[in-house]
Every structure is written in C-alpha cells, then in structure tokens.
Amino acid sequence: MTNINKVILFNPKSAIAKYRIPNSILNIAASIEGKYDWAIVDGNCEADPMEKIESYLRTGEYGYLGFTVMPGPQLKQAIEIAKAIKIKYPYTTMIWGGYFPSNQPKVVLDSKYVDFIINGPGDNAFPLLIDALENHKPYEFIKNLIYKADGKITKTIKEDLLDQDSLPPLPYNKLNNFYPLGKFLGKTYLGEHTMAYHSSIGCPFTCSFCAVVPIYEARWKAKSAQTVYKDIKYIKDNWGADAIEFHDNNFFVSEKRSVDFSKLIKPERMTWWGMARIDTMDKFKDSSLEIIRESGCKCIFFGAESGNNEILEQMDKGGTQTGEQIIRFAERLKQFDIIPEYSFVLGTPAATPEKVQKQIDFEINFIKQVKAVNPKTEIVIYTYTPVPTEGSELYKQVLEQGFAYPQTLEDWISPAWESFDLRKNPLTPWIKPEMIDKIRNFETVLNGVYPTVTDIKLNDLKRKSIKLLSTLRYKTNLYKYPYEIKLLQRFWQYRQPEIQGF
C-alpha cells in the first residue's frame, strides 16, 4: 500500500509582480527535510496553482497540505483552493499557518476545511504534528497548535522561541528545483536582483493594534549577524542577489547586531532595507547610524503611527516614542542620507465623529511638519483596522462602537473586506465616508507633491510634472476632488509600496 505521508507546502498568490522568496514555507520545508518528502507550490509562479497541487495529489502519495496565509490578497486564493481540495480530496489533512489563521482561528476552523492551525513558529510544531498523525499518537501536548475538539476551539500552550542559529538552513537549492530561484530576485528601488530575508521573529513590544502581538507575546529572537551574512552571501554568490529586503517585524532591536551585520555586509556592496522603531533607533549612536548607512542601508521603515501623544498612548505603542521625537528623528536621519519611511494610522476610535475628524486633521498637519523638516521622508498612510488583541483597552473601545469581523471564511474574501485587510477601507462604524474621502484625497495630493522614491518607473520629467500640478493644492490645503492628479497617477500606473511592495 502506498504511503500518503508526503507534504505539499503552498504559498498563495500575494503579488501581481515582484514576488519574493517564500521564506515562511521554506522554514517549514527545512523542519521536515529528511523526515518527509515535500513539494512547494507557489501561487505567484503558477498560472493554475490548483492544477499544480492536484498533479501531486493525484499520485496518491500526498496526504498533508501546509498553507501560509496572510490577510489580504493571499487569503482569497487560500480559501478557494483549500475548499476545493477538501471537497475533492477529503482524506487530506489541511494545516494553515500565518497571521490570519492565528488571529482568526474560530472562523478558519469553523469552515470545516482547515484541520489544524500552527499558532506561531512551526519549526517544531509542524513536524511533531505530522509525526503524531502518522503514528496515531496524541497531539494535544504539541505546543503552538490550534484545533477543534468536541466542537470547541483548543489552543495549546506557546513554545519558547527557539535559538534561530540552531535551526536547519533553508533549502534554497531544493526550492530552485521547483522554481528557478532567480525568479524571486526582482528588480526594485533597492537593486536589480532583490532578495527577501527573515533574520528574526517577533517583536519585544505590545502595540495593541498590531497582529504580531497575539502570536509572539512581546518576544523576539534573532539569528546572529554572522548567520545572516552567511545566508545572504550564499544567495548572492549562487544567484546574483544585489539587494536585500529584511521582512523582520523589527530588524533593529539590537544596536550591536545591526552594526555587526553592517560591518560584515559592507564589502559585498549590497543595498538593503529593514523595519525598526523610532524610539529604539533614536538611541543608536551617530557612529552606528553611519556604519549602517555605509554598509548599504538606504531606507528604513518605521511605524510612526501618530504624532499625537494621546493617540500613541491609546494604541499602547509602548517604549518612549513621542510626536516631537518622530519629527526630530526624521531630521536626524538626513545627515546620514538614510530615508525614513514613516507609516501613519488615521481614524482611531473616539467618542464622537467630531473627535475622529479632529484626529485625522491633526495627523494630516503633522505629516506636513515631518515633510517640512525632511522632504525625503516616505509617508505611508493607513486607516485604522482593528486587530483582536483581546484584553487591550483599544480593542474594548472597538467592540463598544459596534465593530465585528465576518462570521464565515467566505465573507473575508468579499471586495470590501479585502480592502479592509490592506488597511485602506476599514468598514469601521466610527469612520464616516467623508473621512475616508479626506484621507484618500490628502494621500493623492501628498503623493503628487512627493512621489515615492520606490516607484522606479517614474522618471524625473513625470515627477516634476505631477509635483507642479499638486503643489498649489498642498500649500493651500485644497484636497477635495484631486481628479487631475489621480488621472496622471492612473495613467502612469503610480506605485504604492504599502500595497504593491517595492
């Protein structure tokens, strides 16, 4: 009798172009390498990923499917394919991991076509679960699992974060057998062949609006600078990577590790980008920031969130960040020629619509202050979308104002909720349509005056033209009906990095 213990690892489509190395499922592949045979299917590389998955299932050798699922575009393909597989191949075991199932376990498991959720890192949980199912052993004591038992959601205890240097290396060569690895090294603002890499997991802070918090619970664990350098050098030497996007939630937690890595990577002449907190990096010495820039770090993403200290407290931003510091730090980075990429969240809950509008107006004016001290600052604008960090004061406010998530998995892939996942149209009862219009119109004008540097298709002539068209509106606060700017942006296919990446 043929064993059906092989594993399909699926990365649902998340990008129209410039897709990245599927690091999350590569981690799972590394965890079962040598124990169970596996195949990777990347929805970004397949015209028909369902057919590709079925080609494996039809062999009768594959019994397990692992999906990585982020909110937004990935969710649509994940739901449609998971449902179709469970109907056609009911004997298979469906295992989901990623931010969406970890934060929305009830709606996922109630669907009846997902059997288990890996709640956080799966380096131990995934292989242990397969072992238990294969050998008909109990899985109740495996950490980082969520599943249904007797109709009730069961969450096992969280596992301590593992020493990241002790984990097996990612099987890049084997990925290259499924898809030429060079396909994942796309042209971006950073370089001709940009690779994606995770050097750490988690974050040591507890922001109540962040989806990372319920999963990692203010924990952070990183690979050493030497291990990170070794991995990146391997990709560079074998496939020609010349730039790096660090997709860590918080790359710059440790000043020493950041500097050590910078010193190692500098001779490779690679350009790179990562994410950080303003109050953390503002403590870095000038000499450290100088080393980081000289190593090739061109741009750093910061969750500024708000220039209003009361809003920062409402968000439970933690740390010591203030509105004054946000402006001062943007100005400080000018001397090192590091571009700060600041994201702001507009439309947090308030007692009255007038207070919500006042907060939006405050943030618009604050963003203009940031631009005044450092025009190169990239601005990313989101509207507030609730994350179920249960017990947080902000989440209580959200519930009190009548917000509710979809009750079925299929509802999550409606156009309105897909926009919600991208934090562009939040469907929250306290944000009125006219408020959304003001946010989006200001964003249009702002992007006209200061087009993102990450849009590599936008030449100097186009940048000067759209800036000339937008400047009067920006200076006089005339944001309504910016149709002429929208027309140019649409015609030139203006790129928004928060939606489309670099």
Side-chain angles (χ1 to χ4, degrees):
M1 181 178 176
T2 303
N3 286 331
I4 53 172
N5 63 0
K6 293 183 180 181
V7 180
I8 298 170
L9 298 172
F10 179 48
N11 183 43
K13 186 179 180 69
S14 59
I16 298 171
K18 297 183 180 178
Y19 36 86
R20 306 296 192 257
I21 295 172
N23 287 299
S24 55
I25 57 172
L26 269 189
N27 266 297
I28 298 302
S31 76
I32 58 173
E33 177 67 21
K35 302 174 186 176
Y36 299 97
D37 289 335
W38 53 270
I40 281 181
V41 177
D42 194 312
N44 298 294
C45 303
E46 298 287 347
D48 188 348
M50 180 62 186
E51 171 55 32
K52 188 68 173 180
I53 291 172
E54 283 199 273
S55 72
Y56 290 114
L57 292 174
R58 284 194 292 264
T59 67
E61 298 174 353
Y62 290 82
Y64 300 98
L65 296 104
F67 282 39
T68 180
V69 188
M70 291 282 287
Q74 266 199 331
L75 190 57
K76 180 176 176 60
Q77 194 172 80
I79 290 173
E80 292 172 349
I81 290 180
K83 187 175 183 179
I85 288 170
K86 207 63 176 178
I87 292 171
K88 200 166 181 179
Y89 305 91
Y91 62 85
T92 56
T93 300
M94 182 74 63
I95 306 164
W96 278 21
Y99 289 121
F100 182 81
S102 293
N103 282 320
Q104 303 286 346
K106 186 178 187 302
V107 73
V108 170
L109 294 173
D110 281 350
S111 71
K112 294 185 171 59
Y113 44 87
V114 179
D115 301 294
F116 295 93
I117 293 169
I118 303 295
N119 185 22
D123 305 282
N124 280 337
F126 194 90
L128 288 174
L129 176 61
I130 304 297
D131 287 346
L133 295 172
E134 278 297 296
N135 296 294
H136 307 288
K137 297 289 180 65
Y139 47 75
E140 290 81 1
F141 298 107
I142 298 173
K143 297 173 182 177
N144 291 3
L145 282 188
I146 308 177
Y147 57 91
K148 256 190 167 183
D150 299 323
K152 296 180 180 178
I153 303 292
T154 299
K155 288 187 180 183
T156 64
I157 63 171
K158 288 289 184 71
E159 180 180 45
D160 291 339
L161 297 185
L162 302 175
D163 175 4
Q164 297 299 289
D165 281 354
S166 70
L167 297 177
L170 299 189
Y172 293 117
N173 284 315
K174 198 162 179 180
L175 172 64
N176 191 54
N177 293 334
F178 291 101
Y179 303 99
L181 199 137
K183 289 184 68 172
F184 297 103
L185 308 179
K187 183 178 180 179
T188 69
Y189 154 71
L190 297 172
E192 294 290 322
H193 307 287
T194 305
M195 64 174 286
Y197 187 84
H198 280 275
S199 79
S200 67
I201 56 173
C203 177
F205 293 89
T206 57
C207 308
S208 63
F209 57 88
C210 181
V212 176
V213 174
I215 298 172
Y216 290 101
E217 300 174 336
R219 299 173 300 164
W220 180 79
K221 208 80 166 180
K223 297 176 182 178
S224 66
Q226 183 64 46
T227 297
V228 177
Y229 169 72
K230 182 181 175 183
D231 286 351
I232 289 169
K233 184 79 162 64
Y234 184 77
I235 300 293
K236 178 179 186 261
D237 290 347
N238 285 276
W239 292 285
D242 61 4
I244 317 149
E245 291 176 1
F246 285 104
H247 289 179
D248 308 37
N249 301 122
N250 196 339
F251 178 86
F252 295 93
V253 170
S254 165
E255 182 174 0
K256 182 182 184 304
R257 189 183 82 116
S258 303
V259 170
D260 288 348
F261 169 75
S262 297
K263 290 177 178 177
L264 289 168
I265 203 68
K266 182 180 176 180
E268 304 302 328
R269 303 177 66 85
M270 298 179 77
T271 307
W272 58 283
W273 168 97
M275 303 187 201
R277 279 181 61 105
I278 292 168
D279 52 357
T280 297
M281 284 207 81
D282 197 27
K283 295 173 184 174
F284 281 26
K285 298 186 289 289
D286 281 358
S287 58
S288 296
L289 293 175
E290 189 173 354
I291 290 168
I292 288 168
R293 178 63 188 100
E294 288 175 351
S295 75
C297 181
K298 200 170 184 177
C299 180
I300 301 174
F301 178 93
F302 300 94
E305 321 308 355
S306 172
N308 186 323
N309 294 337
E310 291 182 3
I311 297 295
L312 291 173
E313 185 177 347
Q314 181 188 18
M315 291 178 170
D316 194 19
K317 179 69 177 173
T320 58
Q321 182 175 304
T322 64
E324 182 273 334
Q325 183 184 44
I326 292 170
I327 292 176
R328 176 169 47 80
F329 187 64
E331 189 170 21
R332 183 185 175 200
L333 285 185
K334 272 199 303 187
Q335 64 183 297
F336 302 102
D337 194 30
I338 296 173
I339 297 173
E341 186 179 18
Y342 280 1
S343 71
F344 288 89
V345 180
L346 278 61
T348 49
T352 66
E354 290 76 20
K355 288 185 177 180
V356 177
Q357 184 63 65
K358 185 177 179 181
Q359 181 258 334
I360 291 170
D361 292 339
F362 177 92
E363 301 299 353
I364 287 173
N365 291 328
F366 185 83
I367 288 168
K368 295 180 77 169
Q369 291 177 52
V370 172
K371 278 291 193 180
V373 300
N374 187 350
K376 287 187 176 181
T377 305
E378 292 279 300
I379 301 294
V380 175
I381 296 175
Y382 295 118
T383 42
Y384 174 76
T385 55
V387 173
T389 309
E390 295 180 7
S392 71
E393 190 59 37
L394 187 57
Y395 189 54
K396 290 176 185 174
Q397 295 174 30
V398 166
L399 296 179
E400 287 169 0
Q401 297 208 30
F403 178 81
Y405 285 101
Q407 298 303 299
T408 70
L409 205 46
E410 285 79 5
D411 288 344
W412 273 98
I413 57 176
S414 67
W417 281 99
E418 192 170 348
S419 295
F420 169 91
D421 283 334
L422 291 172
R423 291 180 282 181
K424 287 298 181 184
N425 184 11
L427 301 175
T428 46
W430 57 88
I431 301 182
K432 308 305 178 187
E434 61 271 18
M435 298 176 187
I436 294 291
D437 288 343
K438 183 163 190 178
I439 294 170
R440 297 283 79 85
N441 289 338
F442 169 71
E443 182 181 43
T444 297
V445 174
L446 177 71
N447 289 338
V449 180
Y450 301 102
T452 176
V453 70
T454 68
D455 191 339
I456 57 179
K457 300 193 309 300
L458 213 59
N459 60 33
D460 286 343
L461 179 60
K462 291 178 180 178
R463 288 177 183 276
K464 288 176 182 177
S465 300
I466 199 168
K467 182 171 184 174
L468 184 66
L469 195 64
S470 310
T471 298
L472 180 62
R473 281 182 171 276
Y474 187 79
K475 287 183 176 179
T476 56
N477 301 322
L478 294 173
Y479 309 126
K480 279 189 175 182
Y481 314 121
Y483 297 129
E484 72 284 6
I485 305 172
K486 288 183 178 181
L487 183 64
L488 273 184
Q489 289 175 341
R490 184 174 298 177
F491 183 69
W492 289 336
Q493 298 180 321
Y494 180 73
R495 190 173 185 83
Q496 289 186 268
E498 68 271 24
I499 296 175
Q500 298 158 298
F502 286 122

